[in-house]
Amino acid sequence: MPSPISQRIATALADRSLSAQEVSELVAAAKAEKKFTPELKAELQQLLTQHADAFEPSARQELQAFVDGTPTRKDLADPTVLNKHATSVSWNPVSPTGALYVDDVSFDDVIQGSIANCYLVSAFSAVAQANPSAIKDAIKDHGDGTYTVRFFEDAYGGFRPVEVTVDSDLATEFGPANKYAKARDGNEQWVTILEKAYAQWKGGYEAIGNGGRAGDVMEALTGKPSNWTSTSWTPADEVYTSISTAIAAHQPVTAGTHGKDSGVDYTGTGVYAWHAYTVLGASEESGTKYLQLRNPWGKSEHGSDGKDEGIFKMKLDDFMKLYSSVYVGG
Ligand SMILES: [Ca+2]
Ligand SMILES: [Ca+2]
Ligand SMILES: [Ca+2]
């Protein structure tokens, strides 16, 4: 007597064509069988071999993956890209599949993409440095190419968790490279996943790609309130103390520059107007106070310390002139 699976195969094959729908039902029926016996496996493998040309290509892949025991990759809806990228950028599967983390979470993993969201990526980098477990705790890997990211939403009465599930497809333009945020190591996915989930949560890349507040991003990751200080109103020593205290307490810190119309001349400083930087540290050497900063581009810096990876030191006095504001997270 033929097994229910054999009958199902025969029915599906009657028209010499195996659609994605038929194969999905077949896989579901095979999963419903309590035991994936060698006989059942052989029967499905035989179907794959003898009727290879009857399958829709994606259906064949799905069945082969099931027979091989490899997890099936799920494809979820992706956030809309920037309006100006609407005709040039499309979502494509990661190939080869990367790892969520390579050498753990580091502030220097984060590289901004071709989108005006320095506030967002500088905050990712700041949280990665201050509190890497806040990032690891936020991302759940389902093992099928999808990830659920838990953010915190500032709601009346406190922060409440919000979950967003995305797949690992990349927004690509002309080649395999991701158009938006990525990790410095091409095999590391956490930066892209985090930004993609943030975009999905906020309604697409257009919603997150035209500036914003780093403090909001820190709050979304830590669930603790952030505060903002203007360098125009606060004395230099007070700015320095609040930064060094925050960093010692493992709190994320970022700093924003003035706008292009502010009258501040950035020529020759290596610093850019309308930009946000991660503040990595504060130090005092021979009576001079310095801040250590990082450009989220992962390059392009103030001064010449011999290595252009975006990380540089700046005198506090220069910082007070070139930067307009400081965000400190919880
Ligand atoms: Ca997708
Ligand atoms: Ca890393
Ligand atoms: Ca450097």
Side-chain angles (χ1 to χ4, degrees), residues 23-57:
V23 168
S24 287
E25 286 171 9
L26 189 59
V27 168
K31 279 181 181 163
E33 297 279 295
K34 288 290 174 269
K35 280 186 213 148
F36 189 46
T37 59
E39 290 74 25
L40 177 53
K41 182 172 176 167
E43 193 173 3
L44 293 174
Q45 185 56 59
Q46 191 182 29
L47 175 65
L48 280 160
T49 314
Q50 293 186 350
H51 299 280
D53 55 353
F55 285 87
E56 273 182 29

Side-chain angles (χ1 to χ4, degrees), residues 301 304-313:
E301 44 189 73
S304 49
D305 59 12
K307 191 180 181 197
D308 183 13
E309 81 291 57
I311 301 166
F312 58 93
K313 213 165 72 168

Side-chain angles (χ1 to χ4, degrees), residues 27 30 49 78 92 132 162 185 190 200 203 205 208 246 264 278 296 316 330:
V27 168
T49 314
D78 304 300
N92 289 291
V162 180
D185 185 317
W190 75 264
Q200 185 77 313
Y205 280 83
I208 66 158
V264 175
T278 307
L316 177 62

Side-chain angles (χ1 to χ4, degrees), residues 86-311:
T87 56
S88 61
V89 172
S90 59
W91 291 99
N92 289 291
V94 189
S95 181
T97 306
L100 191 50
Y101 307 109
V102 176
D103 294 336
D104 226 318
V105 168
S106 157
F107 66 87
D108 196 33
D109 291 339
V110 183
I111 307 287
Q112 185 178 355
S114 301
I115 176 172
N117 66 358
C118 51
Y119 74 95
L120 183 79
V121 284
S122 65
F124 286 176
S125 176
V127 174
Q129 191 210 16
N131 186 5
S133 59
I135 287 174
K136 296 181 99 166
D137 292 347
I139 308 176
K140 187 176 175 194
D141 183 350
H142 297 296
D144 58 1
T146 69
Y147 301 85
T148 295
V149 180
R150 188 264 302 117
F151 294 113
F152 292 102
E153 184 166 45
D154 190 0
Y156 178 75
F159 291 92
R160 64 180 177 90
V162 180
E163 291 192 336
V164 185
T165 302
V166 291
D167 65 28
S168 53
D169 290 352
L170 298 179
T172 62
E173 196 165 30
F174 301 115
N178 186 24
K179 189 78 176 162
Y180 301 130
K182 51 181 154 284
R184 194 182 282 284
D185 185 317
N187 291 315
E188 183 165 34
Q189 291 183 300
W190 75 264
V191 179
T192 299
I193 298 291
L194 202 56
E195 185 193 56
K196 185 175 179 180
Y198 199 86
Q200 185 77 313
W201 178 31
K202 299 295 179 183
Y205 280 83
E206 193 65 30
I208 66 158
N210 297 286
R213 288 186 297 268
D216 292 348
V217 181
M218 294 171 183
E219 292 179 358
L221 289 171
T222 66
K224 293 174 189 165
S226 63
N227 64 64
W228 177 88
T229 307
S230 165
T231 57
S232 316
W233 315 327
T234 317
D237 283 343
E238 220 174 281
V239 169
Y240 180 86
T241 303
S242 74
I243 290 174
S244 57
T245 307
I247 285 172
H250 296 277
Q251 291 171 268
V253 185
T254 64
T257 57
H258 297 276
K260 282 202 171 102
D261 51 1
S262 64
V264 175
D265 184 6
Y266 285 96
T267 314
T269 62
V271 175
Y272 292 81
W274 283 127
H275 198 30
Y277 292 72
T278 307
V279 185
L280 300 170
S283 58
E284 196 164 346
E285 293 160 40
S286 316
T288 306
K289 292 188 171 89
Y290 292 91
L291 295 172
Q292 196 187 27
L293 296 141
R294 178 179 185 270
N295 186 339
W297 299 343
K299 62 180 182 189
S300 202
E301 44 189 73
H302 170 77
S304 49
D305 59 12
K307 191 180 181 197
D308 183 13
E309 81 291 57
I311 301 166

